[in-house]
Amino acid sequence: MTWTPELALGLALALPLAGGVGVVAFGRYPNVREAMTLIAAVLLAINVAYLVEIAPSNPTIELFEFAPGLSLKFKLEPLGALFAMVASGLWILNSLYSIGYMRGNKEKDQTRFYLCFTLSIAAAMGVALSGNLITLFFFYEALTFSTYPLVAHKGDAKARKGATIYMSILLSTSIGLLLPAVLITYFVAGTTDFTPGGILGAAGPVLSSVILCLFAFGIGKAALMPVHPWLPNAMVAPTPVSALLHAVAVVKAGVFSMLKVTTYVFGPLTMAATPAADALAWLAGFSIVAASIIAMTQDNLKARLAYSTVSQLSYVTLGAMLASPAAMLGAALQIVMHAFAKITLFMGAGAIYTGTKKTNISDMAGLGKFMPVTFAAFGIASLSLIGLPPFGGTWPKFFLMQGSDQAGHPWLMAALIGSSLLNIGYLLPIVINAFFKKPKDDAPMRPGMPPLLAVLPPLLTAIATFVLFLLIDPLVSYLAPVFSMEIAS
Amino acid sequence: MIEASFLPAALSDHAPVLLVLVPMVLAAIVAAQPSGRFGWLAALIGVVSTLILALDIYGQMQASGAPVAYAIGGWQPPYGIEFRIDGLNIALLLLLGVMGTLALIFALPSVADEIAKSKQSLFYAAFLICFTGLVGVSTTGDAFNLFVFLEISSIPTYALIAMGAQKDRRALTASFNYLVLGTIGATFFVIGVGFLYMSTGTLNMADIARLLVEQNDNRVVQVAFGFILVGLALKAALFPLHMWLPNGYAYAPNFVTTFLASTATKVAFYALIRFTFDIFDPTASFVTGLLTWVITPLAVMAMVISSAQAIFQVNVRRILAYSSVAQVGYMMLGFGIASLAGVSAGMLHLLNHALMKGALFVALGAFSYAYGVRRIDDFKGLGQLMPGVSAAFTIGGLSLIGVPFTVGFVSKFYLVSAALERGWWWAVALIVFSSVLAVFYVYRILINIWVNPAPVHEPAIKVRRVPMMILIPLWILALANLVFGVQTDLLVGLAQDAARAALDGGMGL
């Protein structure tokens, strides 16, 4: 059997599922079980790398047509390939890290944990490779369901409450707003296929505004205010899950869907003619600043990072709503760059917790001495998130600023700059305190060493943020056709 | 599916009457002997023979392209009773055959568990009579005969529900309640038929239809329509005439609930469509007025209010029962839209809802068989104890919500299309809202099954393995929810044929 594009497309879904079968089959032998996850992750990453290579040729699989124009359809294109690459690449590191974290903290029900992880990755692949809205919706829901047991993993009352909020917000927005948006799109356009240039050209400004708002709030995973509360509430999950939620799959799937909808369902021309797009761009700008300010008030490290995600990913929504070429390019880059920076931060937080059982920032003063590598990685990722060169996070902000000017909203640049300043305010003190402040007297400092597998992955992702800074040229030339083609049409 | 008749001519010529005769005769035999197992076997034979005969009739219709008519005793209509099967009721007959067979496979262990041995043969006899009645309603072409079959199906139903008393005495009041309301419904219906007879002097449906054409302004005819509408709507559990249903479903034996939920209200819904579109003049102002201003508002109220009520129930079977009332609302909305697309969507939801509720109630039967649980709090931790059954229940639940690639999505999709075709945006919004409510009540059950930890029992409660006789129909139904969610041709085709038969061809295909 040769490695055809269609086969690779199918394998992207099948490999994580096969990994899941392996995980269940070897549930009694932890080492074999984790090997199954890792093998699946590595094979998937290789497979997706091939997909990235062939993405411009748009291989397509169409399975069941259950109503005219509605089918289970997968279609590869550069944006989705990039998201799939980020998710599958980070899955390897996250799996390594999970092994260190889950064993280091002696978590229970690890088989269920790894199984749900593989299912979530399969769902994320489905979202990334979907060829129409209905398929995207299906895998979007599958992602909600498969991450739910992960969020509720600890099983105590607090975890269940957080998970319940997680589930109710995501499910009610998706069924109540996203599904209607999909159906209305279908009835207006006669199709839900992702088409370069968009399919909603026929809708008038009022109708397209309604549809856009339904999408913007229906894609609850994008955590645009005011549908963001599920994200801070989901921080009850074990840290590898938070990394999965924030960096690998869930929020990323949300903002990716948002970008995909504005690029391939609306298209820049329709976006420009949709009055609601401007309002939503301002809402995204507000979301960026407000979430940053809330983040400053949080003492729990993971809560602070959660609000940071709400803020950072509204950049993507902002870019998608502005819909100028540079803004959308910036949004796409932000998906990649934020993933690497945020996963580093979360894995760092988890390593600190595994080593010292500390969750509050105020207790972390002086820890830098004991965990220099972890905090160094944390610092690098913070700089990337703030947007300082020479780290990857620089580029999306650069393009977004350029894009907001292109789209005729120079004032939104203020939100971007203000947010960067706020980022400095809530991220850097953590590192500075750890390295330069004396520990509190009442806290006896005898941190245990976190396992190597909990320290190494964040270091690697931190280095990756630097490498990504240098890789900007190939990235831009890979993505440019997606956005510039539509300018021509 | 099937292109032509496959039974020998001697059988196939008399297939319409055999549909009713076989279960009726078997019922008498079963009642006369004491063995529950023989009763079960006879019931299975009765139901399977109905399925085979229905398939044969379907083949005959495919071959000839015309309805199959049968004059009982050789007395030609309009003087004798006519059985007449077209695209509309063949869908019902197939549904009855398939769901009856699957439910009966499940019945053997479930009934042995819940019904005293001495009563089992009578139980199956009652089931067979009830089944005879339902098949009869779906076969006959005579308005008064339809009333007779409706009562033949209803009276054993009261008995079947009351049999739940062995597990829960509340089944007795539930049954009595249904008896009173059901009798009122039947009375309304027969008064309506009486008015029709007054104004036309005939009882054959096609004949009435022919004679009614001139009589749209006749007040008697208009009143007849009102009486028939109320009577059948009560049987179909249209909000707010559904009061008998939640308790009936909640306290009846598991098998009875499964069978009734997937067939009984459907048959009444069929009769409603038959009378409205094939006997009365669907373009008459009193018909369109009632459909738009009475049926449709009640339908959307059912969708929203009953779904909301379902959220607050503690007995899982009552959750599903209220959900059934809401689903009847979806079907009635299709009926109220009254276009070809609307009635097809209603018929499609009728078929699909049988698959969903069938799977869900069989799964509840399995839970009840293994652990005896009914209350939602007792469902905690079942996912770990019975992962297979829980997974099947989950599929049914997702289908009930209407998640894409399940049958629930397909029928809601067609319903939304039909509403949009009439420009009823508000109805679309309410369908969506009701689906969100469905998310909540399904979610409440699923969260207990999969997430909340099982309570610790001291001493450990006795558990029985769920037999294959329950698992097989369960998985057939659960997988059908997925398969027909992507392979929609068969069911959508059946539903569209049905709607076409109802709307376009008078009694014809």
Side-chain angles (χ1 to χ4, degrees):
Chain A
M1 200 154 64
T2 50
W3 206 11
T4 62
E6 280 73 22
L7 177 69
L9 213 52
L11 276 180
L13 278 172
L15 280 171
L17 292 178
V21 173
V23 164
V24 173
F26 294 101
R28 286 156 181 272
Y29 313 100
N31 289 333
V32 188
R33 181 186 65 197
E34 267 78 305
M36 285 294 153
T37 301
L38 287 174
I39 293 170
V42 170
L43 288 178
L44 178 66
I46 297 172
N47 185 53
V48 172
Y50 172 69
L51 287 179
V52 169
E53 188 78 10
I54 59 167
S57 68
N58 300 124
T60 305
I61 302 180
E62 193 156 2
L63 287 178
F64 315 101
E65 186 160 41
F66 57 88
L70 283 185
S71 56
L72 187 65
K73 183 175 179 183
F74 297 101
K75 182 179 171 192
L76 187 64
E77 44 78 46
L79 218 53
L82 201 66
F83 172 48
M85 190 69 243
V86 171
S88 62
L90 289 179
W91 188 32
I92 303 177
L93 292 170
N94 201 358
S95 307
L96 286 173
Y97 177 78
S98 300
I99 299 169
Y101 181 93
M102 297 302 280
R103 294 190 179 181
N105 286 306
K106 302 189 179 56
E107 295 272 354
K108 61 187 172 61
D109 290 335
Q110 293 197 18
T111 304
R112 185 183 74 192
F113 175 87
Y114 288 108
L115 171 67
C116 291
F117 230 102
T118 54
L119 295 179
S120 322
I121 297 292
M125 291 298 131
V127 171
L129 304 176
S130 54
N132 59 21
L133 280 171
I134 204 79
T135 312
L136 182 116
F137 177 81
F138 175 73
F139 284 103
Y140 179 96
E141 293 293 32
L143 188 57
T144 310
F145 281 105
S146 54
T147 45
Y148 177 79
L150 292 172
V151 176
H153 185 81
K154 282 192 180 147
D156 53 12
K158 201 170 150 229
R160 280 209 301 276
K161 182 160 169 275
T164 305
I165 296 175
Y166 174 80
M167 187 81 159
S168 1
I169 294 186
L170 288 186
L171 264 187
S172 52
T173 52
S174 63
I175 302 251
L177 303 172
L178 179 56
L179 188 57
V182 172
L183 290 178
I184 296 172
T185 305
Y186 172 78
F187 289 116
V188 171
T191 174
T192 65
D193 286 0
F194 293 125
T195 314
I199 52 179
L200 279 175
V206 177
L207 185 56
S208 65
S209 291
V210 171
I211 300 176
L212 188 63
C213 288
L214 285 176
F215 273 118
F217 298 110
I219 304 177
K221 288 197 172 82
L224 181 67
M225 279 182 174
V227 283
H228 69 287
W230 63 269
L231 191 53
N233 275 296
M235 69 173 189
V236 292
T239 308
V241 177
S242 303
L244 173 84
L245 296 183
H246 289 256
V248 182
V250 179
V251 194
K252 287 285 158 9
V255 289
F256 167 78
S257 308
M258 198 84 95
L259 193 56
K260 192 128 179 172
V261 163
T262 53
T263 312
Y264 291 112
V265 174
F266 284 84
L269 291 177
T270 315
M271 284 298 285
T274 303
D278 287 342
L280 287 168
W282 281 99
L283 182 65
F286 171 78
S287 202
I288 291 172
V289 176
S292 293
I293 292 173
I294 299 174
M296 298 197 74
T297 65
Q298 304 290 319
D299 190 36
N300 182 305
L301 180 54
K302 280 171 77 177
R304 186 176 287 193
L305 295 182
Y307 279 104
S308 157
T309 304
V310 175
S311 159
Q312 292 283 329
L313 286 178
S314 292
Y315 283 51
V316 182
T317 308
L318 174 66
M321 292 304 159
L322 290 174
S324 65
M328 292 179 108
L329 179 64
L333 287 173
Q334 173 74 355
I335 293 181
V336 182
M337 303 304 181
H338 174 262
F340 281 88
K342 194 43 78 52
I343 198 170
T344 313
L345 295 180
F346 268 104
M347 294 198 292
I352 296 166
Y353 174 73
T354 315
T356 66
K357 301 285 170 213
K358 286 188 197 306
T359 54
N360 284 349
I361 296 162
S362 50
D363 298 333
M364 290 176 188
L367 275 184
K369 249 193 315 200
F370 304 99
M371 315 178 77
V373 180
T374 303
F375 275 100
F378 199 96
I380 293 174
S382 304
L383 293 177
S384 176
L385 216 53
I386 293 164
L388 289 178
F391 302 106
T394 317
W395 294 116
K397 298 207 172 161
F398 172 78
F399 284 112
L400 274 170
M401 288 194 191
Q402 196 189 340
S404 50
D405 189 43
Q406 259 180 9
H409 289 285
W411 282 103
L412 278 172
M413 278 200 257
L416 295 169
I417 295 168
S419 158
S420 280
L421 293 173
L422 289 167
N423 285 353
I424 297 177
Y426 67 76
L427 285 174
L428 286 187
I430 304 170
V431 186
I432 294 171
N433 280 351
F435 278 118
F436 301 113
K437 219 173 175 180
K438 285 258 157 60
K440 280 186 198 165
D441 299 332
D442 54 335
M445 292 295 294
R446 296 260 348 247
M449 268 303 282
L452 186 64
L453 278 179
V455 174
L456 209 55
L459 185 65
L460 290 175
T461 48
I463 295 171
T465 59
F466 172 67
V467 177
L468 282 168
F469 177 77
L470 304 176
L471 282 180
I472 188 64
D473 252 6
L475 271 175
V476 168
S477 51
Y478 184 72
L479 285 172
V482 178
F483 303 116
S484 54
M485 189 163 61
E486 284 133 19
I487 314 163
S489 68
Chain B
M1 187 165 72
I2 290 169
E3 299 300 325
S5 166
F6 52 87
L7 291 174
L11 282 177
S12 122
D13 287 350
H14 297 283
V17 73
L18 285 175
L19 275 174
V20 176
L21 271 185
V22 174
M24 192 150 75
V25 172
L26 282 170
I29 298 173
V30 169
Q33 57 81 50
S35 159
R37 286 200 153 247
F38 176 83
W40 175 78
L41 193 67
L44 191 64
I45 292 172
V47 173
V48 170
S49 68
T50 303
L51 177 59
I52 294 172
L53 288 164
L55 286 171
D56 185 74
I57 295 173
Y58 182 78
Q60 292 180 34
M61 285 163 47
Q62 291 294 317
S64 68
V68 174
Y70 185 89
I72 302 283
W75 294 85
Q76 289 306 314
Y79 305 105
I81 291 172
E82 184 192 24
F83 279 9
R84 197 174 172 92
I85 299 151
D86 63 7
L88 177 58
N89 43 4
I90 191 67
L92 258 291
L93 289 170
L94 291 171
L95 177 82
L96 279 168
V98 172
M99 292 309 298
T101 308
L102 290 172
L104 261 181
I105 298 174
F106 158 71
L108 186 64
S110 172
V111 169
D113 181 38
E114 290 175 48
I115 308 290
K117 215 162 174 138
S118 58
K119 291 183 186 154
Q120 282 181 16
S121 71
L122 290 174
F123 179 87
Y124 284 115
F127 165 76
L128 273 169
I129 298 174
C130 171
F131 189 79
T132 307
L134 294 175
V135 171
V137 172
S138 322
T139 319
T140 185
D142 184 284
F144 188 77
N145 196 233
L146 193 142
F147 162 73
V148 173
F149 278 122
L150 206 59
E151 280 302 86
I152 290 181
S153 75
S154 296
I155 291 165
T157 306
Y158 309 140
L160 288 172
I161 290 177
M163 296 288 230
Q166 196 172 324
K167 285 242 160 169
D168 193 328
R169 302 279 292 170
R170 281 176 288 187
L172 295 176
T173 47
S175 166
F176 186 70
N177 198 351
Y178 185 20
L179 185 148
V180 173
L181 285 172
T183 307
I184 294 174
T187 312
F188 267 75
F189 178 73
V190 79
I191 291 173
V193 172
F195 280 138
L196 279 185
Y197 185 65
M198 264 169 71
S199 36
T200 60
T202 176
L203 287 168
N204 182 283
M205 290 182 185
D207 211 30
I208 301 177
R210 183 175 61 82
L211 292 166
L212 276 186
V213 173
E214 308 284 293
Q215 300 205 35
N216 280 339
D217 296 329
N218 186 344
R219 193 59 61 82
V220 179
V221 172
Q222 297 176 4
V223 169
F225 183 65
F227 270 98
I228 288 172
L229 200 65
V230 171
L232 288 176
L234 199 150
K235 289 281 180 188
L238 172 64
F239 185 92
L241 303 174
H242 67 285
M243 294 306 180
W244 56 271
L245 188 143
N247 282 335
Y249 281 14
Y251 303 120
N254 276 301
F255 157 68
V256 174
T257 306
T258 308
F259 177 72
L260 291 182
S262 41
T263 54
T265 54
K266 274 63 177 177
V267 168
F269 180 72
Y270 150 75
L272 207 49
I273 292 187
R274 176 67 86 203
F275 269 86
T276 308
F277 293 107
D278 288 346
I279 296 178
F280 290 94
D281 176 7
T283 57
S285 61
F286 68 93
V287 175
T288 53
L290 272 179
L291 288 184
T292 309
W293 298 109
V294 178
I295 295 289
T296 307
L298 292 178
V300 295
M301 280 165 78
M303 281 158 44
V304 174
I305 296 176
S306 297
S307 298
Q309 279 175 306
I311 297 178
F312 298 104
Q313 304 301 317
V314 289
N315 180 324
V316 177
R317 287 221 258 162
R318 282 177 71 97
I319 298 181
L320 295 186
Y322 275 106
S323 150
S324 282
V325 179
Q327 308 300 316
V328 170
Y330 287 110
M331 295 174 219
M332 288 287 179
L333 177 61
F335 172 55
I337 290 171
S339 64
L340 192 60
V343 176
S344 332
M347 286 301 292
L348 182 63
H349 198 60
L350 181 151
L351 301 173
N352 288 345
H353 178 241
L355 295 178
M356 305 173 207
K357 278 286 153 58
L360 288 168
F361 276 119
V362 174
L364 286 193
F367 288 141
S368 152
Y369 185 88
Y371 289 96
V373 289
R374 286 186 172 190
R375 287 169 58 84
I376 188 162
D377 288 337
D378 299 333
F379 275 52
K380 286 177 182 165
L382 281 180
Q384 302 207 323
L385 301 166
M386 303 170 71
V389 178
S390 302
F393 185 90
T394 307
I395 294 174
L398 294 180
S399 192
L400 198 56
I401 296 174
V403 173
F405 305 106
T406 60
V407 291
F409 176 74
V410 179
S411 44
K412 279 185 192 168
F413 174 82
Y414 279 95
L415 192 58
V416 167
S417 314
L420 286 182
E421 200 181 279
R422 261 202 89 164
W424 286 3
W425 283 90
W426 51 270
V428 178
L430 288 168
I431 292 171
V432 170
F433 181 59
S434 163
S435 302
V436 173
L437 294 176
V439 171
F440 283 105
Y441 62 71
V442 172
Y443 172 73
R444 269 184 78 217
I445 310 175
L446 292 186
I447 198 161
N448 270 344
I449 291 183
W450 291 109
V451 179
N452 290 335
V456 181
H457 287 282
E458 292 291 345
I461 46 171
K462 216 175 76 188
V463 179
R464 285 184 297 175
R465 271 188 70 83
V466 180
M468 291 311 276
M469 300 284 276
I470 294 184
L471 293 180
I472 290 171
L474 175 61
W475 276 104
I476 291 178
L477 286 166
L479 292 178
N481 272 290
L482 298 177
V483 170
F484 293 119
V486 290
Q487 281 300 346
T488 51
D489 296 354
L490 179 63
L491 292 186
V492 172
L494 266 180
Q496 284 176 342
D497 281 352
R500 233 172 272 132
L503 266 68
D504 289 352
M507 287 285 280
L509 249 182

